[in-house]
Amino acid sequence: METLLFEFALTCYFAATIACGLELFKGTRTTSRIMFGLVIAGFVLHTITILARYFISGHMPTASLHEASSFFSWCIVLLFFFLEYRYRVGLLGSFIMPVVFVLMLTSSMLPRKIESLSPILQSSWLFIHTAFAFIGDAAFAMAFGIGIMYLVQEHYVKSKHLGGLFKRLPSLQILDEMNYRLITIGFPFLTLAIITGALWAETALGRFWRWDPKEVWSLITWFIYAGVLHLRLTKGWRGKKAAILSIIGFLVVLFTFFGVNLLLKGYHAF
């Protein structure tokens, strides 16, 4: 049943991504309502799937790459709902749902079998550390989408094509401010994830830091976003530069999430 619900959630997210594409090129109230309906349906099914996996396994469902990728996409959708409720950003779904769908599709192709937790993962740190990490990564994913929206909107402004998407996208000022706010949300959570990860490592392995590839790339990610905030506050790097850096930062997040596991070896399960 849990597998079937996951497939239904994936299908809803795929259909929502298609609807988001239609809304991008020919937006109407109907396509917008269909898109939101599909995202809500997918999210409800997705939530049930995560809860079912939690009750079956007895632990936070983030112990494998399949579970982690699924939970990552769930956090992004949750943050998407919050931003839509709080700010009502036009066309945000068109730039975010493809990311959600790709993460869910990737999750669907990874081994789904629930394995027994290794002794290292049998800790309350699993919930604390991964919750901080995924909330931070979800904020960076949203900043990535907002960054792309900024570049698209800037293209319309510079080319003086002030119709179509230009009228439906938020202003450059709003997009830049949202990009900044999302990074200021994601950065403290990433910091807490690194700190709690170090504390967990000391408890389980006797050392705070082991220069594991995942640790190293998490630290690289931290320096990138610290640089984004530092350059904004001290050098005035806003607008296009901030948008490009937020896009680069999220690509590093994805490499840390998937690339390190596939290309490098370490003691992290995901």
Side-chain angles (χ1 to χ4, degrees):
M1 180 61 75
E2 176 260 335
T3 302
L4 187 61
L5 290 175
F6 181 92
E7 297 298 336
F8 282 143
L10 176 63
T11 302
C12 286
Y13 287 150
F14 173 67
T17 302
I18 299 296
C20 287
L22 294 174
E23 188 184 23
L24 187 65
F25 295 103
K26 191 176 181 180
T28 64
R29 286 189 176 182
T30 302
T31 55
S32 181
R33 288 174 179 173
I34 291 173
M35 183 274 289
F36 268 105
L38 288 167
V39 176
I40 291 172
F43 184 74
V44 171
L45 293 169
H46 197 178
T47 302
I48 295 172
T49 301
I50 290 173
L51 289 174
R53 203 168 176 92
Y54 169 77
F55 287 114
I56 293 170
S57 66
H59 59 75
M60 180 82 165
T62 54
S64 68
L65 198 55
H66 161 72
E67 293 176 344
S69 183
S70 170
F71 192 74
F72 186 8
S73 59
W74 184 85
C75 290
I76 295 174
V77 178
L78 184 64
L79 189 55
F80 166 72
F81 284 139
F82 171 75
L83 290 180
E84 280 293 330
Y85 173 77
R86 181 71 177 79
Y87 298 102
R88 297 192 180 279
V89 183
L91 298 178
L92 180 60
S94 299
F95 292 84
I96 292 301
M97 285 314 298
V99 177
V100 172
F101 172 66
V102 170
L103 285 172
M104 281 290 282
L105 183 63
T106 303
S107 176
S108 72
M109 294 186 290
L110 294 167
R112 305 184 188 186
K113 184 179 179 182
I114 298 176
E115 303 283 356
S116 300
L117 285 182
S118 66
I120 294 178
L121 295 178
Q122 295 176 14
S123 167
S124 56
W125 286 115
L126 175 63
F127 172 81
I128 300 170
H129 171 65
T130 56
F132 285 144
F134 286 119
I135 293 173
D137 286 349
F140 294 144
M142 298 301 295
F144 166 80
I146 294 290
I148 293 177
M149 291 174 75
Y150 183 95
L151 296 181
V152 172
Q153 183 67 307
E154 190 196 54
H155 168 75
Y156 281 107
V157 171
K158 286 190 173 180
S159 62
K160 298 182 180 178
H161 289 160
L162 306 182
L165 276 181
F166 170 79
K167 293 182 178 178
R168 296 164 56 211
L169 285 167
S171 70
L172 291 177
Q173 183 179 354
I174 291 175
L175 290 172
D176 184 51
E177 183 63 26
M178 288 190 65
N179 186 30
Y180 172 65
R181 288 184 181 277
L182 285 164
I183 292 176
T184 58
I185 292 172
F187 184 70
F189 278 104
L190 173 61
T191 304
L192 289 171
I194 293 174
I195 292 173
T196 53
L199 293 173
W200 186 3
E202 201 282 331
T203 303
L205 304 171
R207 291 173 59 182
F208 287 104
W209 196 264
R210 298 173 63 90
W211 295 106
D212 176 81
K214 186 74 77 173
E215 295 174 347
V216 173
W217 277 93
S218 295
L219 190 61
I220 291 172
T221 306
W222 188 90
F223 275 115
I224 288 175
Y225 284 106
V228 172
L229 295 175
H230 175 74
L231 290 169
R232 184 182 186 96
L233 296 174
T234 61
K235 304 293 183 182
W237 279 33
R238 299 167 182 268
K240 185 177 182 179
K241 290 179 180 177
I244 292 174
L245 286 175
S246 67
I247 293 170
I248 294 172
F250 185 64
L251 294 179
V252 175
V253 168
L254 290 179
F255 179 79
T256 304
F257 196 84
F258 292 109
V260 169
N261 284 78
L262 298 175
L263 302 175
L264 305 172
K265 290 186 178 180
Y267 68 84
H268 272 81
F270 60 88

